PDB file of all heavy atoms in Angstrom:
ATOM      1  N   LEU A1128      68.777  87.268  96.365  1.00  0.00           N
ATOM      2  CA  LEU A1128      67.841  88.331  96.014  1.00  0.00           C
ATOM      3  C   LEU A1128      66.922  87.930  94.879  1.00  0.00           C
ATOM      4  O   LEU A1128      67.336  87.227  93.952  1.00  0.00           O
ATOM      5  CB  LEU A1128      68.585  89.603  95.604  1.00  0.00           C
ATOM      6  CG  LEU A1128      69.621  90.184  96.562  1.00  0.00           C
ATOM      7  CD1 LEU A1128      70.330  91.363  95.903  1.00  0.00           C
ATOM      8  CD2 LEU A1128      68.953  90.633  97.865  1.00  0.00           C
ATOM      9  N   ASN A1129      65.697  88.436  94.909  1.00  0.00           N
ATOM     10  CA  ASN A1129      64.747  88.244  93.791  1.00  0.00           C
ATOM     11  C   ASN A1129      64.931  89.357  92.766  1.00  0.00           C
ATOM     12  O   ASN A1129      65.860  90.159  92.862  1.00  0.00           O
ATOM     13  CB  ASN A1129      63.311  88.191  94.316  1.00  0.00           C
ATOM     14  CG  ASN A1129      62.886  89.491  94.996  1.00  0.00           C
ATOM     15  OD1 ASN A1129      63.459  90.562  94.758  1.00  0.00           O
ATOM     16  ND2 ASN A1129      61.854  89.421  95.818  1.00  0.00           N
ATOM     17  N   GLU A1130      64.036  89.391  91.760  1.00  0.00           N
ATOM     18  CA  GLU A1130      64.229  90.368  90.661  1.00  0.00           C
ATOM     19  C   GLU A1130      63.991  91.811  91.093  1.00  0.00           C
ATOM     20  O   GLU A1130      64.389  92.754  90.405  1.00  0.00           O
ATOM     21  CB  GLU A1130      63.324  90.035  89.463  1.00  0.00           C
ATOM     22  CG  GLU A1130      61.840  90.236  89.668  1.00  0.00           C
ATOM     23  CD  GLU A1130      61.157  89.063  90.334  1.00  0.00           C
ATOM     24  OE1 GLU A1130      61.845  88.133  90.818  1.00  0.00           O
ATOM     25  OE2 GLU A1130      59.913  89.064  90.374  1.00  0.00           O
ATOM     26  N   GLN A1131      63.369  92.012  92.280  1.00  0.00           N
ATOM     27  CA  GLN A1131      63.237  93.402  92.803  1.00  0.00           C
ATOM     28  C   GLN A1131      64.494  93.836  93.551  1.00  0.00           C
ATOM     29  O   GLN A1131      64.542  94.974  94.038  1.00  0.00           O
ATOM     30  CB  GLN A1131      62.037  93.464  93.769  1.00  0.00           C
ATOM     31  CG  GLN A1131      60.690  93.682  93.101  1.00  0.00           C
ATOM     32  CD  GLN A1131      59.977  92.374  92.889  1.00  0.00           C
ATOM     33  OE1 GLN A1131      60.018  91.472  93.710  1.00  0.00           O
ATOM     34  NE2 GLN A1131      59.310  92.248  91.748  1.00  0.00           N
ATOM     35  N   GLY A1132      65.455  92.953  93.706  1.00  0.00           N
ATOM     36  CA  GLY A1132      66.630  93.277  94.515  1.00  0.00           C
ATOM     37  C   GLY A1132      66.333  93.173  95.999  1.00  0.00           C
ATOM     38  O   GLY A1132      67.024  93.789  96.807  1.00  0.00           O
ATOM     39  N   GLU A1133      65.331  92.388  96.336  1.00  0.00           N
ATOM     40  CA  GLU A1133      64.969  92.189  97.750  1.00  0.00           C
ATOM     41  C   GLU A1133      65.235  90.738  98.134  1.00  0.00           C
ATOM     42  O   GLU A1133      65.243  89.852  97.280  1.00  0.00           O
ATOM     43  CB  GLU A1133      63.475  92.499  97.954  1.00  0.00           C
ATOM     44  CG  GLU A1133      63.137  93.961  97.651  1.00  0.00           C
ATOM     45  CD  GLU A1133      61.646  94.208  97.495  1.00  0.00           C
ATOM     46  OE1 GLU A1133      60.842  93.371  97.981  1.00  0.00           O
ATOM     47  OE2 GLU A1133      61.283  95.244  96.884  1.00  0.00           O
ATOM     48  N   PHE A1134      65.426  90.498  99.430  1.00  0.00           N
ATOM     49  CA  PHE A1134      65.715  89.135  99.882  1.00  0.00           C
ATOM     50  C   PHE A1134      64.536  88.215  99.556  1.00  0.00           C
ATOM     51  O   PHE A1134      63.367  88.618  99.684  1.00  0.00           O
ATOM     52  CB  PHE A1134      66.004  89.099 101.372  1.00  0.00           C
ATOM     53  CG  PHE A1134      67.353  89.683 101.720  1.00  0.00           C
ATOM     54  CD1 PHE A1134      67.454  90.814 102.506  1.00  0.00           C
ATOM     55  CD2 PHE A1134      68.522  89.135 101.211  1.00  0.00           C
ATOM     56  CE1 PHE A1134      68.688  91.381 102.816  1.00  0.00           C
ATOM     57  CE2 PHE A1134      69.756  89.690 101.494  1.00  0.00           C
ATOM     58  CZ  PHE A1134      69.840  90.809 102.299  1.00  0.00           C
ATOM     59  N   ILE A1135      64.846  87.000  99.135  1.00  0.00           N
ATOM     60  CA  ILE A1135      63.770  86.065  98.810  1.00  0.00           C
ATOM     61  C   ILE A1135      62.964  85.743 100.075  1.00  0.00           C
ATOM     62  O   ILE A1135      63.468  85.882 101.177  1.00  0.00           O
ATOM     63  CB  ILE A1135      64.310  84.778  98.157  1.00  0.00           C
ATOM     64  CG1 ILE A1135      65.255  84.014  99.108  1.00  0.00           C
ATOM     65  CG2 ILE A1135      65.023  85.090  96.844  1.00  0.00           C
ATOM     66  CD1 ILE A1135      65.660  82.642  98.606  1.00  0.00           C
ATOM     67  N   THR A1136      61.723  85.351  99.910  1.00  0.00           N
ATOM     68  CA  THR A1136      60.849  85.063 101.059  1.00  0.00           C
ATOM     69  C   THR A1136      61.266  83.764 101.742  1.00  0.00           C
ATOM     70  O   THR A1136      61.991  82.950 101.174  1.00  0.00           O
ATOM     71  CB  THR A1136      59.388  84.917 100.596  1.00  0.00           C
ATOM     72  OG1 THR A1136      59.297  83.754  99.752  1.00  0.00           O
ATOM     73  CG2 THR A1136      58.914  86.142  99.824  1.00  0.00           C
ATOM     74  N   GLY A1137      60.721  83.566 102.946  1.00  0.00           N
ATOM     75  CA  GLY A1137      60.976  82.331 103.684  1.00  0.00           C
ATOM     76  C   GLY A1137      60.534  81.105 102.911  1.00  0.00           C
ATOM     77  O   GLY A1137      61.230  80.093 102.882  1.00  0.00           O
ATOM     78  N   GLU A1138      59.384  81.224 102.260  1.00  0.00           N
ATOM     79  CA  GLU A1138      58.840  80.115 101.462  1.00  0.00           C
ATOM     80  C   GLU A1138      59.779  79.784 100.306  1.00  0.00           C
ATOM     81  O   GLU A1138      60.090  78.608 100.055  1.00  0.00           O
ATOM     82  CB  GLU A1138      57.478  80.541 100.916  1.00  0.00           C
ATOM     83  CG  GLU A1138      56.639  79.411 100.354  1.00  0.00           C
ATOM     84  CD  GLU A1138      55.337  79.940  99.738  1.00  0.00           C
ATOM     85  OE1 GLU A1138      54.828  80.989 100.198  1.00  0.00           O
ATOM     86  OE2 GLU A1138      54.860  79.289  98.793  1.00  0.00           O
ATOM     87  N   ASN A1139      60.255  80.824  99.622  1.00  0.00           N
ATOM     88  CA  ASN A1139      61.223  80.609  98.521  1.00  0.00           C
ATOM     89  C   ASN A1139      62.502  79.967  99.028  1.00  0.00           C
ATOM     90  O   ASN A1139      63.058  79.053  98.430  1.00  0.00           O
ATOM     91  CB  ASN A1139      61.624  81.944  97.868  1.00  0.00           C
ATOM     92  CG  ASN A1139      60.456  82.657  97.200  1.00  0.00           C
ATOM     93  OD1 ASN A1139      60.527  83.863  96.989  1.00  0.00           O
ATOM     94  ND2 ASN A1139      59.395  81.947  96.891  1.00  0.00           N
ATOM     95  N   GLY A1140      62.973  80.460 100.173  1.00  0.00           N
ATOM     96  CA  GLY A1140      64.210  79.939 100.768  1.00  0.00           C
ATOM     97  C   GLY A1140      64.089  78.459 101.119  1.00  0.00           C
ATOM     98  O   GLY A1140      65.057  77.689 100.884  1.00  0.00           O
ATOM     99  N   THR A1141      62.934  78.045 101.602  1.00  0.00           N
ATOM    100  CA  THR A1141      62.696  76.628 101.920  1.00  0.00           C
ATOM    101  C   THR A1141      62.808  75.782 100.644  1.00  0.00           C
ATOM    102  O   THR A1141      63.362  74.679 100.666  1.00  0.00           O
ATOM    103  CB  THR A1141      61.313  76.461 102.578  1.00  0.00           C
ATOM    104  OG1 THR A1141      61.267  77.287 103.730  1.00  0.00           O
ATOM    105  CG2 THR A1141      61.064  75.038 102.995  1.00  0.00           C
ATOM    106  N   GLU A1142      62.275  76.295  99.550  1.00  0.00           N
ATOM    107  CA  GLU A1142      62.320  75.573  98.275  1.00  0.00           C
ATOM    108  C   GLU A1142      63.778  75.462  97.770  1.00  0.00           C
ATOM    109  O   GLU A1142      64.165  74.395  97.247  1.00  0.00           O
ATOM    110  CB  GLU A1142      61.461  76.295  97.231  1.00  0.00           C
ATOM    111  CG  GLU A1142      59.969  76.221  97.526  1.00  0.00           C
ATOM    112  CD  GLU A1142      59.146  77.196  96.663  1.00  0.00           C
ATOM    113  OE1 GLU A1142      59.724  77.878  95.794  1.00  0.00           O
ATOM    114  OE2 GLU A1142      57.921  77.253  96.888  1.00  0.00           O
ATOM    115  N   VAL A1143      64.553  76.527  97.951  1.00  0.00           N
ATOM    116  CA  VAL A1143      65.965  76.471  97.551  1.00  0.00           C
ATOM    117  C   VAL A1143      66.723  75.442  98.371  1.00  0.00           C
ATOM    118  O   VAL A1143      67.525  74.662  97.829  1.00  0.00           O
ATOM    119  CB  VAL A1143      66.622  77.882  97.663  1.00  0.00           C
ATOM    120  CG1 VAL A1143      68.126  77.803  97.405  1.00  0.00           C
ATOM    121  CG2 VAL A1143      65.973  78.880  96.699  1.00  0.00           C
ATOM    122  N   LEU A1144      66.485  75.412  99.692  1.00  0.00           N
ATOM    123  CA  LEU A1144      67.134  74.449 100.548  1.00  0.00           C
ATOM    124  C   LEU A1144      66.792  73.014 100.155  1.00  0.00           C
ATOM    125  O   LEU A1144      67.665  72.139 100.161  1.00  0.00           O
ATOM    126  CB  LEU A1144      66.745  74.693 102.014  1.00  0.00           C
ATOM    127  CG  LEU A1144      67.335  75.923 102.694  1.00  0.00           C
ATOM    128  CD1 LEU A1144      66.752  76.104 104.102  1.00  0.00           C
ATOM    129  CD2 LEU A1144      68.853  75.855 102.794  1.00  0.00           C
ATOM    130  N   ALA A1145      65.531  72.800  99.790  1.00  0.00           N
ATOM    131  CA  ALA A1145      65.110  71.440  99.384  1.00  0.00           C
ATOM    132  C   ALA A1145      65.820  71.033  98.108  1.00  0.00           C
ATOM    133  O   ALA A1145      66.252  69.877  97.952  1.00  0.00           O
ATOM    134  CB  ALA A1145      63.597  71.413  99.170  1.00  0.00           C
ATOM    135  N   LEU A1146      65.994  71.972  97.183  1.00  0.00           N
ATOM    136  CA  LEU A1146      66.726  71.683  95.936  1.00  0.00           C
ATOM    137  C   LEU A1146      68.188  71.351  96.219  1.00  0.00           C
ATOM    138  O   LEU A1146      68.756  70.471  95.619  1.00  0.00           O
ATOM    139  CB  LEU A1146      66.648  72.881  94.982  1.00  0.00           C
ATOM    140  CG  LEU A1146      65.528  72.887  93.955  1.00  0.00           C
ATOM    141  CD1 LEU A1146      65.482  74.227  93.234  1.00  0.00           C
ATOM    142  CD2 LEU A1146      65.709  71.750  92.938  1.00  0.00           C
ATOM    143  N   ALA A1147      68.780  72.106  97.154  1.00  0.00           N
ATOM    144  CA  ALA A1147      70.185  71.836  97.514  1.00  0.00           C
ATOM    145  C   ALA A1147      70.323  70.436  98.091  1.00  0.00           C
ATOM    146  O   ALA A1147      71.304  69.719  97.814  1.00  0.00           O
ATOM    147  CB  ALA A1147      70.669  72.881  98.528  1.00  0.00           C
ATOM    148  N   GLU A1148      69.321  70.028  98.853  1.00  0.00           N
ATOM    149  CA  GLU A1148      69.331  68.705  99.482  1.00  0.00           C
ATOM    150  C   GLU A1148      69.217  67.606  98.425  1.00  0.00           C
ATOM    151  O   GLU A1148      69.927  66.610  98.450  1.00  0.00           O
ATOM    152  CB  GLU A1148      68.145  68.620 100.477  1.00  0.00           C
ATOM    153  CG  GLU A1148      68.312  67.587 101.558  1.00  0.00           C
ATOM    154  CD  GLU A1148      69.534  67.808 102.449  1.00  0.00           C
ATOM    155  OE1 GLU A1148      69.843  68.977 102.789  1.00  0.00           O
ATOM    156  OE2 GLU A1148      70.203  66.813 102.757  1.00  0.00           O
ATOM    157  N   SER A1149      68.322  67.827  97.453  1.00  0.00           N
ATOM    158  CA  SER A1149      68.065  66.792  96.431  1.00  0.00           C
ATOM    159  C   SER A1149      69.152  66.774  95.331  1.00  0.00           C
ATOM    160  O   SER A1149      69.316  65.774  94.662  1.00  0.00           O
ATOM    161  CB  SER A1149      66.703  67.026  95.768  1.00  0.00           C
ATOM    162  OG  SER A1149      66.749  68.194  94.956  1.00  0.00           O
ATOM    163  N   GLN A1150      69.819  67.924  95.160  1.00  0.00           N
ATOM    164  CA  GLN A1150      70.830  68.094  94.108  1.00  0.00           C
ATOM    165  C   GLN A1150      70.265  67.770  92.735  1.00  0.00           C
ATOM    166  O   GLN A1150      70.948  67.180  91.879  1.00  0.00           O
ATOM    167  CB  GLN A1150      72.086  67.247  94.420  1.00  0.00           C
ATOM    168  CG  GLN A1150      72.785  67.703  95.669  1.00  0.00           C
ATOM    169  CD  GLN A1150      74.155  67.095  95.848  1.00  0.00           C
ATOM    170  OE1 GLN A1150      74.897  66.908  94.903  1.00  0.00           O
ATOM    171  NE2 GLN A1150      74.526  66.792  97.098  1.00  0.00           N
ATOM    172  N   ASP A1151      69.010  68.183  92.535  1.00  0.00           N
ATOM    173  CA  ASP A1151      68.336  67.926  91.244  1.00  0.00           C
ATOM    174  C   ASP A1151      68.673  69.063  90.287  1.00  0.00           C
ATOM    175  O   ASP A1151      67.843  69.894  89.973  1.00  0.00           O
ATOM    176  CB  ASP A1151      66.828  67.819  91.497  1.00  0.00           C
ATOM    177  CG  ASP A1151      66.059  67.413  90.248  1.00  0.00           C
ATOM    178  OD1 ASP A1151      66.717  66.975  89.278  1.00  0.00           O
ATOM    179  OD2 ASP A1151      64.834  67.569  90.240  1.00  0.00           O
ATOM    180  N   PHE A1152      69.934  69.079  89.830  1.00  0.00           N
ATOM    181  CA  PHE A1152      70.428  70.150  88.954  1.00  0.00           C
ATOM    182  C   PHE A1152      70.622  69.623  87.531  1.00  0.00           C
ATOM    183  O   PHE A1152      71.001  68.463  87.351  1.00  0.00           O
ATOM    184  CB  PHE A1152      71.764  70.709  89.468  1.00  0.00           C
ATOM    185  CG  PHE A1152      71.828  70.960  90.940  1.00  0.00           C
ATOM    186  CD1 PHE A1152      72.934  70.577  91.688  1.00  0.00           C
ATOM    187  CD2 PHE A1152      70.778  71.586  91.631  1.00  0.00           C
ATOM    188  CE1 PHE A1152      73.009  70.803  93.052  1.00  0.00           C
ATOM    189  CE2 PHE A1152      70.843  71.832  92.972  1.00  0.00           C
ATOM    190  CZ  PHE A1152      71.960  71.411  93.696  1.00  0.00           C
TER     191      PHE A1152
END
């Protein structure tokens, strides 16, 4: 969820998936 308590957008979700793939934490 984003700060409005709504599901993140498809575009946001793609960015999260890319981060998970890169493990750039």
Side-chain angles (χ1 to χ4, degrees):
L1128 303 176
N1129 62 21
E1130 70 274 11
Q1131 275 96 39
E1133 297 165 20
F1134 288 117
I1135 63 171
T1136 65
E1138 194 184 331
N1139 297 159
T1141 303
E1142 292 167 3
V1143 173
L1144 288 175
L1146 267 172
E1148 202 60 40
S1149 70
Q1150 296 192 37
D1151 186 13
F1152 316 135

